[in-house]
Amino acid sequence: MDCFETRIRRMLLPLMFVTLCLNVMPINAELKKIKHPVKDDGSLSFLAVGDWGRKGWYNQSIMGDAGEKLNVDFVISTGDNFYDDGLTDIHDPLFLESFQKVYDANSLQKPWYTVLGNHDYRGNAEAQLSLALREIDSRWICHRSFVVESEVADFFMIDTTPFVRHYFEDPKDHVYDWRGITPRNAYLVHLLKDLEAALSMSTGKWKFVVGHHGIRSTGHHGDTEELVTDLLPLLEAYKVDFYLNGHDHCLEHVECSNSPIQFFTTGAGSKAWMTDYQKHYQCDVNFFHRGQGFLSVEVTSSTAKFVFYDVFGEVQHQWSASKELHSSM
């Protein structure tokens, strides 16, 4: 029995107890899948930004220029979409003030594939998940966890907030919207099993996993230990190429000698922590930027190119990988 299967079995023990007490059987639900076409040449390009929902403060609109230059196919949001406490309901003016009015460039009128962050759970999480928001703005595509499939890459959008114990055990003065999450162990077990099933069926040339919380990070929050323990082994077992996250308000590129996954933090969509940086004792930090910015990615069947931009749209770091050569530069 491998380590991941052992960990799942350990998580199942409290789930079995809950099931017996409630006299119900857990139900597995396959992750929702969305098809996204590639360009005529078989390529795909997108922007990724997180922690942005502050009514446009800190010059977020520069993304439109990069989106136009790259002719992006979509945008990925890595969570914490609305500060400080998510949305109150589907009529909350923050949706207009922090999203529609800020990201109004023509190049950004593409699907926004979005996950929830911990600040989103402090509000009405169901509001962001509601189809009513998509009726207001067709770009908004937000589910707890789902898969975006294309011919060249598959994107596994994962709800990471429920993994973090202290949100449940020590929420301080925050109130979280845990509707649809509790019992927590049951939710996490099913999520991991559904993710494993989706990864096993993936035919994309590249595999991206997107979550709000970092697995490996040298920023303010650092590594998320629950994800290192419960999620990372699964991603490595199914040869995931890249993990994208927000949460730390910075830009980062981290790689670890004991993992084939490249870790990219893009959580600098708004307020940044200008002085936060901590040495990582297990991994190498190829790039760290304390200010605002975002990430662009261009993918073909054989290459993947990552570019970090600062708040002025200036390139700060570039990195690329090749499937054919199994090398990077």
Side-chain angles (χ1 to χ4, degrees), residues 216-223 248 250 252 254 265 276-280 285 287-288:
R216 298 297 190 187
S217 172
T218 188
H220 174 80
H221 292 295
D223 294 357
D248 273 321
C250 59
E252 295 182 81
V254 175
T265 295
D276 279 310
Y277 178 83
Q278 53 185 312
K279 181 177 176 60
H280 204 293
V285 181
F287 170 71
F288 182 91

Side-chain angles (χ1 to χ4, degrees), residues 57-100:
W57 293 357
Y58 307 100
N59 301 292
Q60 302 170 74
S61 57
I62 195 68
M63 282 176 52
D65 294 340
E68 181 178 1
K69 181 179 179 181
L70 295 173
N71 186 24
V72 295
D73 298 284
F74 55 84
V75 179
I76 283 178
S77 173
T78 58
D80 277 3
N81 309 310
F82 302 99
Y83 282 96
D84 280 326
D85 298 310
L87 297 179
T88 57
D89 54 43
I90 61 173
H91 305 294
D92 193 323
L94 276 178
F95 188 71
L96 173 65
E97 297 165 351
S98 291
F99 178 59
Q100 291 181 290

Side-chain angles (χ1 to χ4, degrees), residues 54-251:
R54 298 181 189 270
K55 301 182 180 180
W57 293 357
Y58 307 100
N59 301 292
Q60 302 170 74
S61 57
I62 195 68
M63 282 176 52
D65 294 340
E68 181 178 1
K69 181 179 179 181
L70 295 173
N71 186 24
V72 295
D73 298 284
F74 55 84
V75 179
I76 283 178
S77 173
T78 58
D80 277 3
N81 309 310
F82 302 99
Y83 282 96
D84 280 326
D85 298 310
L87 297 179
T88 57
D89 54 43
I90 61 173
H91 305 294
D92 193 323
L94 276 178
F95 188 71
L96 173 65
E97 297 165 351
S98 291
F99 178 59
Q100 291 181 290
K101 282 187 174 180
V102 177
Y103 300 106
D104 59 354
N106 289 335
S107 65
L108 304 180
Q109 304 306 303
K110 307 290 176 64
W112 280 59
Y113 298 123
T114 306
V115 294
L116 298 176
N118 53 297
H119 280 267
D120 300 312
Y121 269 104
R122 293 177 187 175
N124 185 336
E126 296 288 341
Q128 290 194 50
L129 300 170
S130 173
L131 291 177
L133 284 190
R134 192 171 184 188
E135 294 176 359
I136 296 171
D137 192 317
S138 62
R139 294 177 295 169
W140 188 258
I141 302 174
C142 182
H143 306 281
R144 293 193 197 277
S145 297
F146 61 106
V147 184
V148 179
E149 297 180 328
S150 74
E151 295 176 22
V152 71
D154 289 340
F155 301 83
F156 303 86
M157 314 289 291
I158 302 303
D159 186 19
T160 61
T161 299
F163 281 90
V164 183
R165 293 186 198 88
H166 75 80
Y167 298 144
F168 294 82
E169 298 173 356
D170 186 22
K172 301 189 185 300
D173 59 343
H174 303 299
V175 177
Y176 291 86
D177 181 4
W178 294 135
R179 288 176 294 171
I181 301 299
T182 54
R184 173 175 171 265
N185 279 350
Y187 180 81
L188 294 178
V189 166
H190 291 317
L191 172 54
L192 289 170
K193 292 176 69 176
D194 294 340
L195 174 58
E196 181 178 23
L199 285 168
S200 69
M201 294 185 290
S202 173
T203 59
K205 301 291 185 181
W206 302 93
K207 293 182 177 65
F208 291 76
V209 173
V210 179
H212 177 62
H213 297 76
I215 296 179
R216 298 297 190 187
S217 172
T218 188
H220 174 80
H221 292 295
D223 294 357
T224 305
E225 292 303 325
E226 294 91 341
L227 297 184
V228 172
T229 301
D230 298 328
L231 182 61
L232 182 58
L234 175 60
L235 306 190
E236 291 175 338
Y238 284 92
K239 301 186 183 336
V240 167
D241 299 289
F242 312 113
Y243 182 78
L244 275 56
N245 63 275
H247 198 45
D248 273 321
H249 295 188
C250 59
L251 303 175

Side-chain angles (χ1 to χ4, degrees), residues 206-207 216 232-243 253-264 282-283 286 306 319 321-323 326-328:
W206 302 93
K207 293 182 177 65
R216 298 297 190 187
L232 182 58
L234 175 60
L235 306 190
E236 291 175 338
Y238 284 92
K239 301 186 183 336
V240 167
D241 299 289
F242 312 113
Y243 182 78
H253 174 203
V254 175
E255 63 178 330
C256 311
S257 59
N258 62 348
S259 177
I261 301 172
Q262 299 288 324
F263 302 93
F264 295 91
Q282 297 178 325
C283 304
N286 293 337
F306 296 76
W319 182 88
S322 169
K323 279 288 188 182
H326 301 286
S327 64
S328 62

